[in-house]
Amino acid sequence: MKKRILAMLLSGAMVFSLAACGSGGNDEGSGGGDSDSGEEMNIAMVTDSGDITDQSFNQTTYEASKAWAEENGVEFNYYKPESDSDEARNASIDQAIANGANVIVLPGYMFAASVVEQPELYPDVKFVALDVGAGDILEKGVGEGYDYNPDNWDVSEYYNTDNVYCCTYQEEISGYMAGYAAVKMGYKHLGFLGGMAVPAVMRFGYGYVQGADEAAKELGITNEVSVEYVCGGQFYGDADITAYMDTWYNSNGVEVVFACGGGIYTSAAEAAAKAGGKVIGVDSDQAPIIDAYQEGLTVTSAMKGLAVTIDTVLTEIKAGNWSDYVGKMDSLGLVSETAEDNFVQLPIESTQWNDGFTEDDYRELVSALYNGDITVSNDTTEMPATDITVTDYGSIK
């Protein structure tokens, strides 16, 4: 029953709002499940620039797709491109389809070029593009003449809407939740470490800043709260970024860093563990992997509902309801006052609730956001205006 409710919410989400080639078939399900529409599903997932152990977008997508396939007796394989390029990702899609895949799950904006090019070549294949939005597709489809304003273009002219479902997530909301929670919990000197300054990362970061600002206003401490803001210029940590985080924690007095960009959390976690600082995870509940650096390191995680999206869409495909999704470009966010039912949320179990911000306080925040009592801007054209001090350092690389 809950799946069906979520499916209805997912397909109507725009009303609420309008991230192998190597070995090829790396994982197999038990094979051969038939959908109610008479189609045999054969699912493939292709990784973007990371792999299925990134504790973020790829891993969550892989685990959710694999679990669904095993539960439903459907064949599943994943493919890792030979390099980080559009050509390599397209080659992995080609290989997956050559191996029999007829449902392709693509996690992340890096697949925009694939959405532009591949569906037209394979009209009988269903493409599920997670976190791929109009701006991503237009940047690849239009090319040099694109003005970076999706409203000025008809995105449907640049990809085959007949066999693609796209969705993005309202990252600004879970980012807001994380920033709000951090300040309410007592942290006053915050940091934001993004990956690359792409729209999804910026929505997380700008939401984080807005949440911290609102919490500081409510507490009457805007003159005491500040945010250091930087992007690493990549989606993985390295010695240079770790050194940058060392300076933040040890010299600048940063207490907690929202590490937002795939594997870039490693640099924040390494530095925090040495300095007694804290980290906020992203996309999924990252406490298990971040806390491996030091117990209790993770304050919370700003999550996207990748798993519930995958489970819902694949279930609906199997039930013969692909027509409810194909051609849509949904923006998924809050669909309920119940925190756990939403596509953006904080993890109930691992968040370090305290007297300043309890689980009940979080649920009240979700209700206020859902009912419109609190609004969060998704504008990424400029840093939000705040009463707290925000210092934007641009990019490390």
Side-chain angles (χ1 to χ4, degrees), residues 2 13 35-36 50 74 94 100 107 114 126 131 178-179 182 184 187 197 202 206 224 227 310 337 351-352 365-366 371:
K2 184 176 180 181
S35 75
D36 291 349
V74 170
D94 291 336
S114 297
K126 298 174 176 65
D131 226 21
K184 287 285 188 172
Y187 299 101
M202 295 171 72
Y206 289 3
E224 300 176 37
V227 180
I310 291 165
E337 286 187 289
T351 296
Q352 296 179 7
L365 174 64
V366 172
N371 290 317

Side-chain angles (χ1 to χ4, degrees), residues 28 34 44 58 126 144 152 269 282 310 329 354 363:
E28 295 186 1
D34 289 335
N58 288 292
K126 298 174 176 65
E144 187 175 345
N152 292 338
V282 74
I310 291 165
M329 190 169 286
N354 63 20
R363 294 187 181 280

Side-chain angles (χ1 to χ4, degrees), residues 33-86:
D34 289 335
S35 75
D36 291 349
S37 61
E39 298 177 25
E40 181 178 308
M41 292 177 70
N42 185 323
I43 302 167
M45 173 233 171
V46 181
T47 61
D48 57 11
S49 62
D51 58 36
I52 61 169
T53 61
D54 66 358
Q55 292 292 330
S56 188
F57 231 73
N58 288 292
Q59 183 166 347
T60 302
T61 302
Y62 165 76
E63 291 175 350
S65 299
K66 184 174 185 287
W68 187 93
E70 290 177 347
E71 182 180 343
N72 289 274
V74 170
E75 185 171 353
F76 169 75
N77 297 283
Y78 85 93
Y79 296 80
K80 182 178 179 179
E82 290 185 333
S83 64
D84 179 12
S85 67
D86 294 337

Side-chain angles (χ1 to χ4, degrees), residues 92-268:
S92 286
I93 294 171
D94 291 336
Q95 183 177 354
I97 295 171
N99 289 344
N102 58 14
V103 178
I104 307 292
V105 181
L106 306 174
Y109 79 96
M110 290 184 180
F111 285 100
S114 297
V115 171
V116 170
E117 299 168 19
Q118 298 294 95
E120 189 171 5
L121 299 177
Y122 302 107
D124 295 328
V125 175
K126 298 174 176 65
F127 291 84
V128 178
L130 305 171
D131 226 21
V132 178
D136 305 316
I137 292 171
L138 289 166
E139 183 176 1
K140 294 294 184 178
V142 176
E144 187 175 345
Y146 182 50
D147 62 1
Y148 292 89
N149 187 344
D151 293 337
N152 292 338
W153 305 80
D154 181 359
V155 68
S156 66
E157 295 181 359
Y158 295 91
Y159 75 108
N160 184 17
T161 59
D162 293 338
N163 61 337
V164 180
Y165 170 70
C166 293
C167 68
T168 58
Y169 296 87
Q170 294 169 25
E171 296 93 352
E172 67 277 4
I173 296 178
S174 55
Y176 182 100
M177 293 173 178
Y180 184 93
V183 172
K184 287 285 188 172
M185 289 173 176
Y187 299 101
K188 296 181 179 179
H189 198 165
L190 283 60
F192 176 83
L193 171 63
M196 296 175 68
V198 297
V201 171
M202 295 171 72
R203 286 192 294 269
F204 267 127
Y206 289 3
Y208 180 67
V209 167
Q210 292 175 69
D213 186 59
E214 179 58 29
K217 289 176 182 176
E218 292 179 8
L219 294 171
I221 55 170
T222 54
N223 62 328
E224 300 176 37
V225 176
S226 60
V227 180
E228 315 272 353
Y229 192 105
V230 76
C231 284
Q234 60 193 37
F235 287 114
Y236 55 91
D238 63 15
D240 293 335
I241 297 174
T242 300
Y244 203 98
M245 292 296 100
D246 285 336
T247 299
W248 270 14
Y249 283 114
N250 291 308
S251 301
N252 294 11
V254 170
E255 300 165 286
V256 57
V257 171
F258 180 14
C260 178
I264 205 165
Y265 75 89
T266 59
S267 284

